Amino acid sequence: MYSIIIGIFILLILIWIDFQIGKKHFKRKAPLVHFPLDPTKYELFTTGDTFFKQFFEDVKQAKTNVSIAFFTVRNDQISKDLFKLLKEKAQTGVTVNLQVDWVGSIALKRKLIKDLRASGVHVRKSNPPTFPFFFYRLNRRNHRKITIIDSTISYLGGFNVGKEYLGADPKLGDWRDYHLKLVDKQMAGILQNVFAYDWEAENKPALKKTPTKPLKGDTSFTVHITEAGQLEDLLVHWLQQAKQSISIGSPYFIPSKRVFDCLLQACAKGIDVTILVPEKEDHPLVKPTAFPYYRKLLAAGGKVHFYNNGFYHAKISLIDDNWANLGTANFDKRSFFLNQEINLEMSGDKELLLPIKNAFLKDLKSSFPATESYLNNQSLRAKIAGWIGKLVEPLL
């Protein structure tokens, strides 16, 4: 018995050492890159049916190349429809690259991957856990979701490929997400550069800043590539600029101390701080682990709303009337410190940001405000899950 306990203790120590050394290793190797862009128009998708309809149509019209990266691709019908389309495009001579995350798409059947490759589709799973730093690599996921078509059309946002994103999961119901389509060669070139960086496991190509034209007026777009703590620094900088309001939408809310302190300080200044999260949960630990943050935020004068018209998966931050940040990063420590993420910062033009702001306000209407009573009136199972989540919070 004692030998088993000692063995477990030694294993935990080794995992801790592995994680700490791996964190330092990848922080040194992180790209630390952002790309400024000329202001450009975009199309915002918030439902799976509209997103996949346009996405499939654009892939179908591809003439030369398609590069697609998702965190999760399932084995279900919508996934098979995508595979069928990619095989058809590859067989017509279009260069097709498909990149999925090793953990996020771990259930993807080998037979499907083999069929894709036999049809000429290049397939790669990102970040398979290997030595050294096995445990850290297991937790370092490629969470970026980007698509580049014919070096002109780009997609970026929160949707993955699976029936739940179409609202076909009876447990989660209708799915709400934010995903952008941009028709801009400069944007496509930047995302292709990022795609190539993620694709090359060894001898990674440099993430070079793409030359840009002088920005017009005060409006600017910036693509941020983060993966080892840089997102926390960005969020602290952004939140400290707020003067009237901060609105955050995320499926998960487990911020770092620095970021959460910024929100509490904003509340103390009288800035309107609103958090929108789903009432439903797709993870057993994340929702109850966030409750202590909600209680502190409410006590400081902030507002927390639970979306109850299905599952809310959007990743959005809005500051005042002229700034937005939309992409793949959740508002949690995993996205801040572990995951490879990509976000688009937009600022300056109120009219340009109006579709995103209106989408958030619409979702806010499909929610109810959290109260101290609601947060305290949780089941024993939820309370136990919250205690367990606290122990593994850095990985959530």
Side-chain angles (χ1 to χ4, degrees), residues 11 14-15 18 22 25-26 127-138 202:
L11 178 62
L14 291 175
I15 289 175
D18 171 285
H25 171 79
F26 283 103
N127 297 339
T130 58
F131 292 97
F133 322 126
F134 179 88
F135 184 74
Y136 187 87
R137 290 177 190 270
L138 187 63
E202 305 297 335

Side-chain angles (χ1 to χ4, degrees), residues 151-224:
S151 304
T152 302
I153 297 173
S154 303
Y155 281 90
L156 161 68
F159 278 107
N160 286 293
V161 184
K163 68 178 184 179
E164 66 268 38
Y165 298 91
L166 285 163
D169 184 322
K171 177 186 174 184
L172 298 174
D174 289 339
W175 191 278
R176 191 72 170 171
D177 224 320
Y178 295 174
H179 213 102
L180 299 178
K181 173 188 173 181
L182 303 99
V183 182
D184 181 271
K185 289 187 176 181
Q186 187 182 6
M187 180 68 169
I190 289 170
L191 294 194
Q192 191 67 59
N193 193 3
V194 175
F195 186 92
Y197 174 84
D198 291 340
W199 186 274
E200 298 296 333
E202 305 297 335
N203 303 317
K204 285 185 177 295
L207 271 172
K208 298 178 181 178
K209 287 189 178 181
T210 302
T212 58
K213 303 172 187 176
L215 297 179
K216 303 170 186 175
D218 297 326
T219 303
S220 65
F221 278 29
T222 306
V223 178
H224 293 279

Side-chain angles (χ1 to χ4, degrees), residues 100-103 124-130 137-138 140-143 198 204 340:
V100 299
D101 184 74
W102 190 89
V103 169
R124 180 179 180 273
K125 282 195 171 185
S126 297
N127 297 339
T130 58
R137 290 177 190 270
L138 187 63
R140 179 180 179 266
R141 307 316 328 150
N142 187 342
H143 200 240
D198 291 340
K204 285 185 177 295
Q340 295 172 286

Side-chain angles (χ1 to χ4, degrees), residues 26-68:
F26 283 103
K27 193 172 183 67
R28 288 197 303 268
K29 293 173 69 68
L32 294 167
V33 166
H34 67 92
F35 302 93
L37 279 165
D38 273 328
T40 186
K41 292 182 179 180
Y42 61 85
E43 187 173 358
L44 174 67
F45 299 95
T46 58
T47 62
D49 55 349
T50 57
F51 166 69
F52 284 112
K53 180 180 179 181
Q54 186 61 58
F55 180 79
F56 275 57
E57 182 59 31
D58 285 336
V59 173
K60 190 180 298 183
Q61 298 301 320
K63 299 294 189 295
T64 58
N65 58 83
V66 177
S67 296
I68 297 173

Side-chain angles (χ1 to χ4, degrees), residues 69 76 102 105 112 158 164 174 180 188 217 220 236 249 258 260 271-272 278 302 305 314 330 363 380 389 396:
D76 55 16
W102 190 89
S105 299
L112 293 175
E164 66 268 38
D174 289 339
L180 299 178
S220 65
V236 168
R258 285 179 65 205
F260 192 60
I271 294 171
D272 180 33
H305 286 254
N330 298 311
D363 293 339
L380 179 60
L396 296 179

